[in-house]
Amino acid sequence: QLVLEAKELNAIVPTDNTSNMNSRELASNRRLINRLNLLIRRGDRIGIIGPNGIGKSTLVRILLKLEQADKGRVKHGFGFKPAYFDQKRESLDRDKSPWVILTGGGSDTIEIDGKPRHVVRYLRDFLFDETKMTQRVATLSGGEQNRLLLAKLFAQPHNFLVLDEPTNDLDLETLELLQEVIADYDGTVLIVSHDRDFLDRTVTKILAFEGNGKVTAHAGGYSDYLERRKLAIARKSLVNTNQKQK
């Protein structure tokens, strides 16, 4: 089942100092994504990798239709329900407690997969003790805020899970919990991360930002991608050496 289709996506980053650039320099310096075509199917586990600032989060937001591509289009499949774990934690109200964020403040139960659950038991699944459950989000650590955002996301119906740098500020116990949650998830997963081991454990396909707007797809995890890239560089170097000798 097709979940998402992207055709001929192009994206550029706004630049203030462009007055002295010719058209070729302008395009080269501002291009994030160049003519990307992508099909995502139900059950896909995809990792997005590349240096900081290269456009990974921009691509995610375009795919979710939270931002508009400069060219191209994105089409969502029937019944598309995304859940977005954003690295800035913008969806958490810092003045509210985990309890209130999950229940709205008027109840002690929440609905998970169509069934009522006590909020205390649910938050314990995400490693919260009862003291932390009633504290303001602003007083929680980065790892605790990440766990709360995960708890909030999984309390909502969705079939397309997007995690943008989810391993930041996570301790080992929380990291293991996240890996278990992803393994048990029956929808589609899209993960932006620099964590090689985490991606090797959670994804089966890589989208790699190669620079100058080029985004390439590779089967396997992060380590598989690095190995193939290493071999490709070695082959290219050998070809160049042979040409020079001729």
Side-chain angles (χ1 to χ4, degrees), residues 149-212:
L149 188 49
L150 287 171
K152 180 183 177 183
L153 289 181
F154 280 94
Q156 302 167 354
H158 59 276
N159 51 27
F160 189 83
L161 180 63
V162 181
L163 305 173
D164 193 347
E165 298 293 354
T167 63
N168 288 355
D169 302 317
L170 292 191
D171 54 33
L172 181 59
E173 190 176 18
T174 308
L175 193 58
E176 291 175 349
L177 169 67
L178 179 56
Q179 290 172 1
E180 291 175 6
V181 167
I182 293 172
D184 293 337
Y185 186 62
D186 64 356
T188 305
V189 180
L190 190 64
I191 303 173
V192 177
S193 181
H194 294 91
D195 190 323
R196 174 175 172 177
D197 182 66
F198 179 74
L199 289 178
D200 282 343
R201 293 173 182 269
T202 54
V203 306
T204 56
K205 183 178 180 180
I206 292 292
L207 289 178
F209 276 75
E210 308 280 4
N212 294 322

Side-chain angles (χ1 to χ4, degrees), residues 9-76:
L9 289 188
N10 285 265
I12 58 176
V13 60
T15 304
D16 295 328
N17 185 22
T18 60
S19 57
N20 295 324
M21 293 184 184
N22 60 40
S23 58
R24 180 174 296 179
E25 291 172 332
L26 186 62
S28 176
N29 279 275
R30 300 176 69 197
R31 186 184 296 119
L32 292 177
I33 302 166
N34 184 35
R35 302 186 66 182
L36 173 64
N37 292 288
L38 178 66
L39 293 176
I40 299 179
R41 304 184 186 279
R42 178 177 172 81
D44 281 352
R45 260 75 171 151
I46 301 172
I48 301 179
I49 63 172
N52 288 332
I54 202 169
K56 302 186 298 298
S57 295
T58 298
L59 173 59
V60 165
R61 294 182 66 83
I62 289 173
L63 294 178
L64 294 177
K65 296 186 178 180
L66 298 175
E67 291 185 16
Q68 183 70 38
D70 293 284
K71 289 184 180 179
R73 68 179 183 87
V74 174
K75 180 181 179 181
H76 292 164

